[in-house]
Amino acid sequence: MGKWRRRTAAYLIAITVVVLLFAIAYHHGMRTFEGSERSFLHHLRVVVETFTTTGYGSDAPWETDVMNAFVIVMDITGVVLIFMALPAFVFPLFEETLSTTPPTAAEEAEDHVLICGHTPRGRVLREELRARDVPYLFVVGDGDEAADIYDAGEEHVVHGDPEDVETLRNANVGAATALVADADDETNASIVLSAREAVDDADGLRVVSLVEDEDVADYHRYAGADEVLSPRRLLGESLGAKATASVSDEVGDGVEIGEDFQIAELLVHHGSPLVGETVAGSGIGERTGANVLGAWDDGEFESPPRPERVIDEHTVLLVVGTEAELEALKELTLSETRNRRRGSVVVVGYGMVGHSAAAELRGRDEVIVVDERDDPGVDVVGDATQRETLEKAGVEDARAVVLALDSDTTTIFATLAVKQVAPRAEVIVRANDAESVPKLYRAGAEYVLSLSTVSGRLLASHLLDEEVLRPETQVDLIRTRAPGLEGRTLAGANVRAATGCTVVAVERDGDLRTDLGPDTRILAGDALVVAGTDDSVNRFNELFC
């Protein structure tokens, strides 16, 4: 029984008792003070008429003061009860009648991916699934949340407890291709167990579980998860690699797509000889041999970058080349001061992401960890949004600051605080929600990576027929087949203009071809390496895959 129904039942019982009590008192008063010989039923009708305002009392006028006073009290009580009925009964009834109720079953769903939960990473996965025309269905336990999602236009949602076997059966889990447990660690383990119980043919359902704490991954596997993913660790390692002073380490963090052939994201630092140069005037190709595929600046990706585009100290270049060529270009992205001095890196936040980032940096850089809790490994305890804490951590002299906080609002404020204390420090940031990324760039961050984006890509890589080469980068790099391009040239299909993506390489008969041009023709069986933003890669999938 819903909350308003329970409240309505209590109200109806209460009003019945009140009416009967008033009727008994009125019957006694009329006989005692007015000398009335009428029946109790008549007097009950007078009370009901008064309470409902459908009559003014067929016994009027009353001769005695006592009965007039009693009738006044009865009139006021009736009005009060009516006003109490509006919020307790009438309004909820209208709301339920007019509101759209999310379904509790989807018996016709088949070959779908069940997403248990509705989080930012689940919404990123949804976009990946939509781009590949893969059906999906959210299972949401909270009724209000499910209703809000349904009201917002998301038709592929059912309301029910994802830990409950019957809920999963109502979502037709037996006909699903995969199930994603997307809640907290304990709930996800319970969902996995329920999924295995709900499906007779356990081998026909692929169960993927996300964990915050890698130490519990084995529990999820024992519960029946086919794959257990920990995107926070990957995110932390990637942020740490971006903050390292080592040339080989950041280049080594690139994506190897062939023998001695890599794609990497390189951050241009303050004082680099590339700062102020245009892409054409920088001579990157002539000086290093590497090719620039795209450029990020303040969260906007351009591929290929315009020849007249100016490179500044906030630019992230997406480049391709051999390891030696990328190392030469990495040297150009650094300032002479940074090459000579190995300053400290301050890691703010020591959860899973911060811990992974610090572990990636230790041994190569001096690392100072800041957290509000005095846990082992924390060097400075305090609030990172306070100047005193930042100064105590030596942010003014730090080469880079990695912000790995749980709250995007706090992260935005901490970014502003760091830039106020140390304007030249490189701020490398973890965002939880992709929608916060533009704000963080406006606040002054040089490099931002969203946990929801990394998680969604990681899930898509395991569920779809495409290989996400590096989910923990700003740019989306995939290896996939594109039947819609077979027999067509890149120029003829207008790939770049239609999607915003760049086809980086083609794998054909075991060979990797990187010398691509407008006249390159895609043949049946070719695997393409494609680079672009999440939206542009999704457009590529919609048009050609």
Side-chain angles (χ1 to χ4, degrees):
M1 183 182 291
K3 182 178 179 181
W4 79 266
R5 288 189 176 91
R6 291 193 298 269
R7 195 184 328 155
T8 300
Y11 173 81
L12 292 175
I13 292 172
I15 197 172
T16 301
V17 172
V18 170
V19 168
L20 287 175
L21 290 176
F22 266 96
I24 293 171
Y26 182 76
H27 179 68
H28 175 74
M30 288 299 291
R31 283 179 172 270
T32 303
F33 300 106
E34 298 285 336
S36 173
E37 296 296 331
R38 292 184 174 180
S39 66
F40 174 78
L41 188 60
H42 171 82
H43 293 149
L44 175 62
R45 189 195 62 171
V46 172
V47 173
V48 171
E49 287 176 346
T50 304
F51 276 17
T52 60
T53 70
T54 57
Y56 296 99
S58 56
D59 289 339
W62 293 271
E63 301 295 334
T64 63
D65 292 340
V66 172
M67 287 309 298
N68 277 291
F70 182 83
V71 170
I72 290 173
V73 172
M74 188 164 61
D75 288 341
I76 294 173
T77 303
V79 173
V80 170
L81 288 173
I82 288 174
F83 278 105
M84 287 177 60
L86 293 176
F89 176 69
V90 179
F91 293 163
L93 181 61
F94 274 108
E95 286 179 7
E96 180 161 297
T97 302
L98 296 175
S99 66
T100 51
T101 303
T104 57
E107 297 176 355
E108 296 181 359
E110 60 180 15
D111 297 330
H112 56 300
V113 175
L114 271 184
I115 307 173
C116 296
H118 190 263
T119 65
R121 57 195 178 193
R123 293 192 288 273
V124 172
L125 173 61
R126 173 191 62 190
E127 297 307 313
E128 299 276 356
L129 296 173
R130 280 178 173 173
R132 299 299 293 263
D133 289 327
V134 176
Y136 65 91
L137 183 67
F138 286 106
V139 181
V140 180
D142 183 85
D144 292 337
E145 182 184 8
D148 290 342
I149 296 168
Y150 192 69
D151 288 341
E154 176 57 80
E155 297 179 354
H156 304 286
V157 59
V158 295
H159 171 223
D161 183 0
E163 298 180 68
D164 183 67
V165 173
E166 283 307 311
T167 296
L168 297 182
R169 286 175 177 161
N170 289 338
N172 209 11
V173 65
T177 58
L179 179 144
V180 176
D182 187 17
D184 59 81
D185 289 354
E186 294 181 1
T187 302
N188 283 347
S190 177
I191 292 172
V192 172
L193 288 168
S194 297
R196 290 309 182 195
E197 183 180 348
V199 179
D200 295 330
D201 181 14
D203 294 334
L205 179 70
R206 190 177 185 184
V207 178
V208 180
S209 183
L210 291 162
V211 296
E212 308 291 339
D213 182 0
E214 282 192 317
D215 292 338
V216 305
D218 286 340
Y219 303 155
H220 288 238
R221 294 188 185 95
Y222 185 75
D226 296 302
E227 293 169 89
V228 182
L229 308 179
S230 179
R232 289 175 183 264
R233 177 183 58 80
L234 284 175
L235 179 62
E237 290 173 353
S238 182
L239 294 177
K242 285 292 173 290
T244 183
S246 169
V247 173
S248 59
D249 285 332
E250 186 169 0
V251 171
D253 196 50
V255 180
E256 185 172 335
I257 60 174
E259 186 176 352
D260 197 31
F261 186 76
Q262 298 183 27
I263 299 174
E265 288 180 328
L266 299 181
L267 176 63
V268 179
H269 301 277
H270 173 70
S272 163
L274 295 177
V275 173
E277 298 281 352
T278 63
V279 172
S282 65
I284 289 175
E286 295 79 5
R287 296 164 74 176
T288 67
N291 292 318
V292 179
L293 300 176
W296 286 90
D297 196 1
D298 292 335
E300 296 295 328
F301 182 67
E302 184 181 17
S303 176
R306 291 169 287 108
E308 66 274 14
R309 176 172 182 153
V310 177
I311 301 171
D312 62 28
E313 61 186 76
H314 299 147
T315 302
V316 178
L317 299 175
L318 179 68
V319 294
V320 61
T322 65
E323 184 173 351
E325 291 168 345
L326 296 185
E327 286 185 356
L329 177 54
K330 175 62 180 176
E331 290 283 355
L332 284 178
T333 65
L334 299 174
S335 66
E336 293 183 3
T337 302
R338 176 163 170 160
N339 277 325
R340 291 195 304 265
R341 178 177 65 83
R342 296 174 63 86
S344 63
V345 177
V346 178
V347 177
V348 179
Y350 206 48
M352 173 62 74
V353 176
H355 193 278
S356 298
E360 181 75 14
L361 287 160
R362 287 194 178 107
R364 301 188 295 268
D365 297 276
E366 178 188 357
V367 179
I368 299 172
V369 176
V370 178
D371 198 274
E372 290 185 325
R373 297 176 300 181
D374 190 10
D375 291 336
V378 176
D379 301 299
V380 177
V381 178
D383 182 354
T385 64
Q386 300 297 317
R387 188 183 189 96
E388 180 182 357
T389 302
L390 297 176
E391 290 177 345
K392 188 176 180 181
V395 167
E396 289 177 287
D397 299 321
R399 191 187 68 254
V401 178
V402 177
L403 296 178
L405 300 168
D406 286 330
S407 166
D408 284 354
T409 301
T410 304
T411 301
I412 292 169
F413 200 77
T415 302
L416 295 169
V418 170
K419 282 301 183 181
Q420 185 70 24
V421 174
R424 294 299 182 187
E426 294 161 4
V427 180
I428 299 167
V429 178
R430 160 255 181 108
N432 291 294
D433 197 327
E435 294 177 357
S436 300
V437 172
K439 291 182 183 179
L440 286 162
Y441 276 115
R442 288 196 295 270
E446 274 73 34
Y447 188 90
V448 184
L449 199 53
S450 163
L451 178 61
S452 61
T453 299
V454 172
S455 303
R457 288 180 187 166
L458 196 60
L459 287 167
S461 180
H462 285 77
L463 296 174
L464 300 176
D465 185 23
E466 71 178 27
E467 180 184 358
V468 179
L469 297 175
R470 210 57 181 272
E472 69 280 15
T473 55
Q474 286 191 118
V475 72
D476 198 1
L477 293 168
I478 65 169
R479 182 185 281 112
T480 188
R481 299 188 185 279
L485 281 178
E486 292 177 2
R488 306 169 67 183
T489 64
L490 295 179
N494 208 19
V495 173
R496 189 169 286 164
T499 67
C501 289
T502 298
V503 178
V504 177
V506 174
E507 292 181 1
R508 180 179 298 163
D509 299 327
D511 295 327
L512 184 72
R513 304 188 177 193
T514 59
D515 55 339
L516 307 181
D519 296 329
T520 299
R521 189 175 300 276
I522 307 302
L523 305 180
D526 286 352
L528 310 184
V529 178
V530 179
T533 64
D534 289 284
D535 289 340
S536 63
V537 169
N538 286 340
R539 285 196 297 272
F540 181 89
N541 286 329
E542 290 173 358
L543 291 174
F544 302 119
C545 296

